[in-house]
Amino acid sequence: MLEMRIAIPRPAERLIVLRFCRSQPQSISSLSIFSRKSSSGDSILLGGNVVEDFPDGDDIKRFATASRYMVRRAAGFASAESGVGFFMLTSQKVIDAINEQIGYEFSAELQYYAIGAHFATEALPQLSQHFFQQAEEEKGHALRFIKYVVDAGGRVVIPAINAPKSKFKTARDAVKLSLDQEIHVTQQINGLVGLARKQNDYITINFLQWFLTEQLEEVSSMDSLLKIIERAGTDLLQADEYLARVGVRAMPEPPKE
């Protein structure tokens, strides 16, 4: 018999324990729900021994899907049409902050598309390609956040997005704007981590670790690109050629262990 434990953070403070047979991962043998610890330090069993079988299949994803279904049902999820509140694996404050971050990521995507188009108009293909690629990465970041909100049981609400800046006096202005944007996004991710810590939301903290590593790389590469542009001065063809030959990484990747 195998066991999966899922902790739901405040304000609900529930512990859901799923048990299933190793030989039949698609079949949930039992489910128990515990409330927050009592004054004596013991957990209180609210309900359990829920048995439900799912269609046979050797794909382990079936068990993951089944588990999410059982957790949602046991934790009190209700349909949107019912108007009844529902449980999430994180707090509403964190979900709201992530929804706001989704808007920032899509805004960054549009800004990079605008900068890429600007450099394409100036006949600088490498700079243009670099920023179009950056735009796709920002879209990927937004989709990661969207998937997390859905998986955590929240509702995705994408805020309104302002039009990006599309005209720049110099190439340096465009790249400096990009660097400032990456620094701002890094501060926003740090803010999300801080909020998750206040909520004792370790699931979200773990999810955000990828973004912290990603932002270190994003800020570093954009800073390197700004230095390349500044050294090139008005000879942007030189900068474009340099990007084609070397790229923006200031240091080579460390050897793999």
Side-chain angles (χ1 to χ4, degrees):
M1 185 73 67
L2 299 179
E3 185 174 281
M4 173 186 289
R5 292 172 175 258
I6 302 175
I8 301 177
R10 292 183 298 177
E13 293 193 76
R14 297 288 190 269
L15 174 65
I16 297 176
V17 180
L18 291 162
R19 298 179 184 86
F20 59 99
C21 296
R22 185 187 298 271
S23 60
Q24 293 181 306
Q26 75 279 3
S27 179
I28 308 295
S29 60
S30 70
L31 181 149
S32 302
I33 311 168
F34 297 88
S35 74
R36 61 183 299 175
K37 288 186 177 180
S38 63
S39 57
S40 64
D42 298 326
S43 295
I44 303 172
L45 179 64
L46 297 181
N49 203 29
V50 179
V51 179
E52 182 148 348
D53 291 333
F54 293 84
D56 292 335
D58 56 4
D59 188 350
I60 195 62
K61 289 183 178 180
R62 285 189 180 275
F63 171 67
T65 302
S67 300
R68 284 197 296 272
Y69 168 77
M70 294 294 286
V71 168
R72 291 190 179 199
R73 193 184 73 168
F77 269 82
S79 65
E81 292 79 9
S82 68
V84 180
F86 53 86
F87 261 41
M88 294 182 293
L89 296 181
T90 184
S91 70
Q92 187 60 50
K93 283 186 177 180
V94 171
I95 293 296
D96 290 343
I98 291 178
N99 276 327
E100 188 176 354
Q101 187 64 36
I102 291 170
Y104 292 143
E105 299 293 341
F106 279 130
S107 177
E109 176 198 5
L110 293 179
Q111 185 58 74
Y112 283 143
Y113 275 133
I115 294 174
H118 167 77
F119 284 125
T121 302
E122 297 295 322
L124 296 166
Q126 294 301 320
L127 282 166
S128 176
Q129 180 182 352
H130 176 78
F131 279 98
F132 278 126
Q133 181 179 346
Q134 288 295 118
E136 289 297 311
E137 289 185 7
E138 296 304 321
K139 181 174 71 174
H141 296 172
L143 293 178
R144 277 178 180 262
F145 278 117
I146 288 175
K147 183 179 185 302
Y148 180 74
V149 171
V150 172
D151 287 348
R155 185 169 295 279
V156 175
V157 181
I158 302 175
I161 300 171
N162 295 327
K165 184 176 180 180
S166 57
K167 295 181 180 179
F168 305 93
K169 292 182 178 180
T170 65
R172 184 189 182 280
D173 290 343
V175 179
K176 181 63 166 61
L177 175 64
S178 303
L179 175 59
D180 292 342
Q181 180 173 270
E182 291 297 343
I183 292 173
H184 183 58
V185 169
T186 302
Q187 293 169 344
Q188 290 168 333
I189 300 296
N190 286 336
L192 286 175
V193 174
L195 175 61
R197 282 180 175 171
K198 289 180 181 179
Q199 300 286 317
N200 292 326
D201 185 355
Y202 300 106
I203 295 175
T204 300
I205 291 173
N206 183 66
F207 165 71
L208 292 171
Q209 295 304 310
W210 183 90
F211 287 94
L212 292 173
T213 303
E214 178 73 4
Q215 283 309 121
L216 174 62
E217 180 181 339
E218 295 289 343
V219 172
S220 176
S221 63
M222 200 60 70
D223 180 63
S224 296
L225 179 58
L226 180 60
K227 291 173 181 175
I228 292 169
I229 294 296
E230 288 177 339
R231 290 188 181 120
T234 58
D235 189 2
L236 294 179
L237 286 176
Q238 181 182 359
D240 211 53
E241 181 185 352
Y242 182 87
L243 284 177
R245 290 187 293 105
V246 180
V248 296
R249 294 186 182 276
M251 291 185 62
E253 291 291 335
K256 295 182 179 181
E257 297 182 357

